[in-house]
């Protein structure tokens, strides 16, 4: 799977861990930055990553920051993106099963490194349930 990665300075360390994890699992990663822990404005990096997903250039995306909130907000401004902020096994599973989330947001300051990788794995492995959720997901996209 081709996966876009993007973070601000507060999510940089987790972005690097996720990149290693994904490449090790055989995924293709497109890293939109940032490329250090130096302070940056998160929309500069998150928007291009989300746009790659929205255009279909990447199948999924993962965005990271301190809380993940700002990153999710930016990603969800991009047409075709359904970004879910996840902090547990359940939120990761439901994001895929119920919302067909194609972008995952995680806050580096909110979950442990071990839980972060578990969230990523669950989100990657979980399929969209479809059924009654299809019409709901279709209603998300603006007219």
């Amino acid at each position: 799977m081709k996966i876009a990665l993007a973070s601000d300075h507060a999510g940089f360390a987790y972005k690097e861990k996720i990149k290693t994890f994904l490449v090790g699992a055989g995924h293709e990663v497109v890293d939109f930055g940032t490329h250090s822990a130096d302070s940056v404005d998160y929309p500069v990096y998150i928007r291009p990553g989300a746009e790659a997903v929205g255009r279909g250039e990447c199948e999924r995306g993962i965005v990271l920051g301190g809380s993940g909130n700002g990153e999710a907000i930016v990603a969800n401004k991009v047409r075709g993106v359904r970004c879910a902020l996840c902090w547990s096994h359940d939120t990761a599973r439901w994001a895929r099963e119920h919302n067909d989330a194609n972008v995952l947001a995680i806050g580096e300051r909110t979950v442990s490194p071990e839980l972060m990788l578990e969230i990523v794995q669950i989100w990657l492995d979980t399929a969209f349930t479809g059924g009654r959720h299809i019409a709901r997901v279709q209603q998300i996209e603006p007219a």
Side-chain angles (χ1 to χ4, degrees):
M1 185 180 308
K2 190 173 184 179
I3 302 171
L5 279 183
S7 75
D8 71 356
H9 54 282
F12 172 72
Y14 276 17
K15 180 180 68 74
E16 294 302 300
K17 289 178 192 291
I18 291 170
K19 183 174 15 177
T20 299
F21 175 76
L22 293 174
V23 169
H27 297 285
E28 180 181 351
V29 172
V30 181
D31 186 346
F32 288 88
T34 190
H35 301 289
S36 77
D38 295 338
S39 183
V40 296
D41 296 330
Y42 59 87
V44 172
Y45 300 93
I46 303 305
R47 189 176 326 279
E51 288 172 343
V53 175
R55 286 190 303 266
E57 295 166 11
C58 292
E59 295 165 73
R60 298 220 198 143
I62 301 173
V63 297
L64 302 115
S67 71
N69 283 310
E71 293 73 23
I73 292 168
V74 171
N76 278 317
K77 296 288 185 181
V78 175
R79 186 177 207 46
V81 167
R82 290 173 308 284
C83 180
L85 175 60
C86 297
W87 59 89
S88 68
H89 294 168
D90 288 336
T91 57
R93 187 172 42 260
W94 296 328
R96 289 289 307 136
E97 286 179 348
H98 298 181
N99 309 115
D100 198 18
N102 55 6
V103 176
L104 169 65
I106 300 176
E108 187 169 324
R109 297 174 182 154
T110 66
V111 297
S112 70
E114 297 80 21
L115 179 56
M116 173 267 299
L117 289 176
E118 291 169 4
I119 288 168
V120 169
Q121 189 66 64
I122 289 167
W123 181 77
L124 288 171
D125 290 345
T126 303
F128 178 48
T129 303
R132 70 181 192 273
H133 301 290
I134 294 171
R136 295 170 183 166
V137 169
Q138 289 172 338
Q139 293 175 56
I140 294 170
E141 196 63 40

